[in-house]
Amino acid sequence: FSNQMLLPGAQTVGVNAYENPDLEGLTPLQCLDRIVYFAGSLGLRVILVRYSAKSDNFYSERSWYIPGDAYYTEAQYIADWVMLAKRYAGTAVVGADLWDQPRGQATWGAGNATSDWDQAATRAGNALLAANPAWLVFVQGIEWGSNLQGVRTRPVQLSVRNKVVYAVVQFSSDPAPNAWISDPTFPSNLRPNWNQYFGFIVSGQIAPVFVAEFGTNFKYPSDYVWLPRLLNYTAGHFSSDQRNDLPPGHLGMSWAYLAVNPGSAVGGIVQDPDWTTVDYTKMYYLQPFLAAPFSPLDPGVPLPPVNPNVTQVYPFPTFTSTQAPSLPLYTALRTSGSQIVDRMGTPVRLTGVNWYGFEGTAFIPQGLWTRGYQALLRQVKDLGFNCLRLPFSNQMLLATSLTSGINTFQNPDLEGRTPLQCLDKIVAYCGLISLRVILVRSSNKANNFYNEQSWYIPGDAYYTEAQYIADWVMLAKRYAGTAVVGADLWDQPRGQATWGAGNATSDWDQAATRAGNALLAANPAWLVFVEGVNWGTDLRAAAVFPVRLSVKGRLVYSVVQFTDDWNTNAWFTDPTFPDNLRPNWNSYFGFIVTQQVAPLLIAEFGTGFEKTSDYTWLPRFLNYTAGQYFKEGHSALAPGHRGMSWCWQALNPGSQPGGGVLQADWSTPDYAKLFHLQPFLSAALPPADPSLPLPAVDPNVTSLVPQPTIQASSAPTTASFSYYHTRGHQIVDQHGKSVRLAGINWYGFESLGNIPQGLWKRNWRSLIDQTKSMGFNSFRIPYSNEMLRNFSVVTGVWWDMNPDLVGLTPLQCLDKIVDYCGQVGMRIILDRHSSERDRFIQEPLWYLPGHDYYTEERFIEDWVMLAKRYRNTAIVAVDLWNEPKKNSTWGSGDLATDWRLAAERVGNAIQAVNPDWLLMVEGVGGATWWGGDLSKAGEFPVRFKIPHKLVYSMHEYCEDVSEQKWFTDPTFPASLRPIWDLNFGYLLRQKIAPVYVGEYGTRFAHPRDYIWLPLWVNYTNGQYTSDGVNDLLPGETGLSWTYWALNPGGDTGGILMDDWTTPIEQKLSYIRKAMAPLLPTYDPPIQGLGVNFTVNSTIAVPAASRYRTLHH
């Protein structure tokens, strides 16, 4: 925290009040009250650390007070600590870290009261202990918190004994160069240095040591050595990795990893952009060193005295509901060859997890005795799974069955419900958060799986084949149009089950055909999953006796695979292991996919890593499911195809074999398993496009109600919008806060189709939504002047997927995109790419010399028309001309070629009708990339009539796009920054104007691309020199940019694969480091460009959607 945050007039910003309704209208200190109290209720402890005096001023402050400042004195610093010590006595706060990373003027033991940090820490510590003697006092070393050598001669002396804890900060080479790691003796030099700088405090029994911040982004190979060695050191391996030096019963050093926050100096424990997905690589290393959890604070203990002016300190409220959430709209999946595909034909891969319990005697998924079902399902999605496989028994479906083992305080809306009604709730909530569900019939009777040897119970009057089929038909009707995508007809066929023997009472392939056809008659939208015999492992007979369903495109074969953790498996004791695995997999089930018979679901697989062979089996099996069917490291998948779908065994801790992905507390993930699984998880599956028809729903099922849809005949255009201006080298909003546009190009309006590409496979809104979900906050949309002409028509669109674009002109389609971007918080930079469609490379100037239509006058007139049309919309900036080439000049004074003068003419014309837009002006051709030479902009600046609207723009590419001399320079990569600085970097360093990177990208086709891209990202983030230090001041942002491009193909291959759906994570992992926060949305009025916007007035707005106002 900062001392400024404690001021009574401080206000919070950046809080989603919908997600955090109890923080709305509170001061920062009142928000801290809430966090501290709720942390205590969960059993978390809190350490408060004073980070800086002023907010966002950490690097500028060199002492614990601000010399010469009338307010931020040492006296105020101590007074604030005393106030906090009183306020949070008896709460989850266990102590105070007095100053983060002492630096600058701070000394230790020098005898100077104004600079000696050990003396100041003593004064502050004793003052807060007088107010609250229960707290620990954490005192960091000097030199950015790394050096505690002064403790040998000048320890901190507190008035209350056993309250001092010394603290240090340790990093690898990620944030800044580290001489210890570049030392030739690395890593053997680490322990001697750690012992000298801080370890002696623990080994000498002086005091505890707390490692206050440490971390790595695994940017360098040495990081993989440094992190486990440091963790072992904190655990007591002070002399070697092989020996723990702690006395019996002692614990190692306490520590706090940097940080939860994505985007911190070494990345976070959760990832951008969702603040949800766990970084399993980091957790894989950290988890073995995590300490036991604390108990929640006793609710019977009275709260500490609180400032009477603060009335909002009370327990975190619980939310109760009497009605399950309504379902998003879903469309069915189907099959095509070896692929599961969606309605548009795009391959889909289900990567899920089993959740057991409905098949047991409690008739409810396990874990609900300790957690809420909604929280568990959210965690399943947050862990990266997109599917849930739910086993059940036929007995659970009986109306007389009762649930047990539910904590109704955590699950108030399940109280008093039958098992089937509880399943309704779970299915509905899965739909709400876009998880898909596969129902799997585990057994007839509850908890009777191993005793049943057929899909019915021979001789039983109730559990007959007729009842088995009738139950599937009932479920198929009940869950039509919901998150349930299919039925796994019988889990692990075994015992009497045969395949192809011709016996109606034992042949599972015949029974599966009968059951599958019956449920498809009730619900033709479902997939039908059919497992092999011999406990679900063997599909060899399917090659001769395939299952034949009455509805095409619905059959998915299914298998179960485990290591020999569970049962002895001859494959693992074979002398040829692991080379024998692929031939066996191909023989037993893989041929189903490789011969394009049908898709395959691995219904259950897993391991507890009980044997050494498990570590070989699991990555090899995951690679196999991902398409490496014949050879490790070689994918046999056709372009655009996905691998086999799968569901891990299981969510449940303690399940066999191998336990679950959650540990015994039903909360903590098993990161060792997720470390292997995460690279193979598929993208989340969004709800289907609401313009597509729903499958029929049984009218008797009233609890599963689809959400209403809103339809528009065309998009509205205007809304209340804020615009940006410039200040020095920063783009800022109306409040003066720096803004960073971090976006992506989506091209097509400038091409022959007159429409952004990809709409032949996807709905246009879904592409915009996905782009936002990947973390981008803006689009750069190229267009041609020809596209604006009245005779232009749109081609290359799948009209069934985009019915609201039918009959529109290209410009009206742009209206739609602009408005929807505004609604979802995306900003747009409009880029005039060319005069004629698909002629960008051939056009020498901003006009076409000798052409009677594409003149400079037309160039300006079209910009003026667009400026009027899109004023007060999501378009916040315009790139006046894309990539001026060598024909253009800068500063020559020639009206026919001087692009700088032409930019002034068109810019001033735009400002006359729309003074709000930022005007982006690219450089000329020169000796660098087209549009990249701004070397003369300092001498010959662009001058607009309205100031503070100019942003210079350039493009930067790698060796993929074109050879450039700096890539082959012997000094590469040192050759890069001088080129950047010459052409545009000086504009930033001298704070002349902002620079916007309109295009950059790579295919990673050359080894040097892997060096260029991270250096370029660092440069855009503010590392303008090669010293590794960020040159931005607090509150400033790096360069705005738009990656080239969303579209697959092209110069750089795009961010999406050829299926126009799957992101290329390799590229995103680099550019996420330069992502910026998402921007606010707006509410459009019901009016537009001569079009009608209609809302279905028959839809009642539920009470939960009513709004109110608060201040502004």
Side-chain angles (χ1 to χ4, degrees), residues 615-626:
Y615 291 93
T616 303
W617 172 84
L618 181 58
R620 193 160 292 213
F621 186 62
L622 286 166
N623 283 336
Y624 183 82
T625 69

Side-chain angles (χ1 to χ4, degrees), residues 462-544:
Y462 181 78
Y463 295 110
T464 62
E465 177 176 303
Q467 187 60 47
Y468 163 78
I469 292 177
D471 284 345
W472 268 127
V473 170
M474 178 274 294
L475 293 171
K477 292 179 179 179
R478 186 179 188 94
Y479 296 116
T482 70
V484 180
V485 294
D488 192 334
L489 296 178
W490 180 26
D491 190 41
Q492 298 186 30
R494 55 201 177 274
Q496 302 172 9
T498 57
W499 193 297
N503 187 333
T505 61
S506 67
D507 253 14
W508 169 232
D509 59 313
Q510 291 187 35
T513 301
R514 293 191 294 271
N517 286 334
L519 73 83
L520 287 172
N523 180 354
W526 268 12
L527 297 175
V528 176
F529 298 85
V530 181
E531 294 190 32
V533 292
N534 192 18
W535 296 89
T537 63
D538 189 349
L539 281 165
R540 287 177 293 180
V544 182

Side-chain angles (χ1 to χ4, degrees), residues 187-227:
S188 59
N189 64 325
L190 292 176
R191 277 189 177 81
N193 280 311
W194 290 336
N195 285 330
Q196 178 184 347
Y197 275 73
F198 59 89
F200 70 90
I201 295 174
V202 174
S203 58
Q205 302 282 309
I206 298 171
V209 167
F210 173 62
V211 185
E213 299 172 18
F214 73 104
T216 177
N217 246 339
F218 299 111
K219 183 178 178 182
Y220 303 102
S222 57
D223 299 343
Y224 291 92
V225 178
W226 171 85
L227 181 59

Side-chain angles (χ1 to χ4, degrees), residues 101-379:
Q101 299 186 33
R103 56 202 177 275
Q105 302 172 9
T107 56
W108 193 296
N112 187 332
T114 61
S115 67
D116 255 13
W117 170 232
D118 58 314
Q119 292 187 39
T122 301
R123 294 191 293 271
N126 286 333
L128 72 84
L129 287 172
N132 181 354
W135 268 12
L136 295 173
V137 176
F138 297 82
V139 182
Q140 293 192 30
I142 55 174
E143 297 174 7
W144 298 87
S146 66
N147 189 350
L148 281 164
Q149 295 183 87
V151 173
R152 297 178 189 272
T153 55
R154 289 292 297 270
V156 172
Q157 303 282 347
L158 297 179
S159 56
V160 180
R161 296 182 63 186
N162 301 327
K163 289 299 177 183
V164 69
V165 179
Y166 292 104
V168 292
V169 170
Q170 285 291 298
F171 290 108
S172 68
S173 295
D174 279 2
N178 186 331
W180 296 354
I181 293 176
S182 58
D183 189 300
T185 63
F186 173 86
S188 59
N189 64 325
L190 292 176
R191 277 189 177 81
N193 280 311
W194 290 336
N195 285 330
Q196 178 184 347
Y197 275 73
F198 59 89
F200 70 90
I201 295 174
V202 174
S203 58
Q205 302 282 309
I206 298 171
V209 167
F210 173 62
V211 185
E213 299 172 18
F214 73 104
T216 177
N217 246 339
F218 299 111
K219 183 178 178 182
Y220 303 102
S222 57
D223 299 343
Y224 291 92
V225 178
W226 171 85
L227 181 59
R229 195 157 291 210
L230 177 65
L231 287 165
N232 278 332
Y233 186 84
T234 67
H237 294 266
F238 303 137
S239 56
S240 76
D241 270 332
Q242 287 71 43
R243 188 182 75 189
N244 194 300
D245 300 305
L246 292 175
H250 281 214
L251 298 174
M253 301 175 184
S254 293
W255 51 259
Y257 191 83
L258 185 79
V260 170
N261 310 50
S264 61
V266 291
I269 288 297
V270 295
Q271 299 182 24
D272 275 328
D274 60 4
W275 273 83
T276 298
T277 306
V278 176
D279 188 322
Y280 297 110
T281 303
K282 293 171 183 170
M283 288 305 303
Y284 176 75
Y285 287 98
L286 294 178
Q287 193 194 21
F289 299 90
L290 293 172
F294 295 105
S295 300
L297 296 182
D298 186 349
V301 176
L303 279 175
V306 178
N307 183 340
N309 296 321
V310 182
T311 59
Q312 289 84 6
V313 181
Y314 49 82
F316 193 85
T318 58
F319 177 79
T320 59
S321 173
T322 59
Q323 184 181 356
S326 57
L327 291 172
L329 303 179
Y330 276 86
T331 56
L333 302 177
R334 58 183 175 85
T335 69
S336 175
S338 64
Q339 300 290 294
I340 298 173
V341 298
D342 61 17
R343 184 72 61 93
M344 292 78 75
T346 302
V348 169
R349 192 182 190 198
L350 302 171
T351 50
V353 66
N354 288 270
W355 188 15
Y356 294 102
F358 272 126
E359 83 291 354
T361 53
F363 301 119
I364 198 74
Q366 293 178 4
L368 302 190
W369 54 73
T370 186
R371 293 194 64 187
Y373 76 94
Q374 295 184 2
L376 263 172
L377 291 172
R378 284 197 303 271
Q379 185 173 14

Side-chain angles (χ1 to χ4, degrees), residues 414-596:
L414 299 186
E415 190 169 9
R417 297 186 182 272
T418 67
L420 192 55
Q421 290 168 338
C422 292
L423 179 57
D424 291 343
K425 287 281 190 176
I426 289 171
V427 167
Y429 194 71
C430 284
L432 193 69
I433 62 174
S434 297
L435 279 174
R436 300 304 194 264
V437 175
I438 299 170
L439 296 179
V440 52
R441 193 286 211 144
S442 180
S443 58
N444 289 280
K445 294 181 178 180
N447 229 18
N448 204 42
F449 173 82
Y450 292 104
N451 296 323
E452 297 178 11
Q453 303 295 298
S454 191
W455 58 94
Y456 61 99
I457 299 181
D460 191 285
Y462 181 78
Y463 295 110
T464 62
E465 177 176 303
Q467 187 60 47
Y468 163 78
I469 292 177
D471 284 345
W472 268 127
V473 170
M474 178 274 294
L475 293 171
K477 292 179 179 179
R478 186 179 188 94
Y479 296 116
T482 70
V484 180
V485 294
D488 192 334
L489 296 178
W490 180 26
D491 190 41
Q492 298 186 30
R494 55 201 177 274
Q496 302 172 9
T498 57
W499 193 297
N503 187 333
T505 61
S506 67
D507 253 14
W508 169 232
D509 59 313
Q510 291 187 35
T513 301
R514 293 191 294 271
N517 286 334
L519 73 83
L520 287 172
N523 180 354
W526 268 12
L527 297 175
V528 176
F529 298 85
V530 181
E531 294 190 32
V533 292
N534 192 18
W535 296 89
T537 63
D538 189 349
L539 281 165
R540 287 177 293 180
V544 182
F545 302 100
V547 173
R548 300 189 184 278
L549 297 178
S550 57
V551 181
K552 287 186 176 181
R554 292 292 179 257
L555 173 65
V556 180
Y557 287 108
S558 182
V559 291
V560 170
Q561 283 291 296
F562 292 109
T563 65
D564 57 351
D565 288 357
W566 187 229
N567 284 308
T568 302
N569 187 329
W571 296 355
F572 292 87
T573 56
D574 188 304
T576 63
F577 176 87
D579 294 334
N580 64 323
L581 292 177
R582 274 188 176 79
N584 279 310
W585 292 334
N586 284 329
S587 171
Y588 275 73
F589 55 87
F591 71 91
I592 299 282
V593 172
T594 59
Q595 296 178 25
Q596 299 287 310

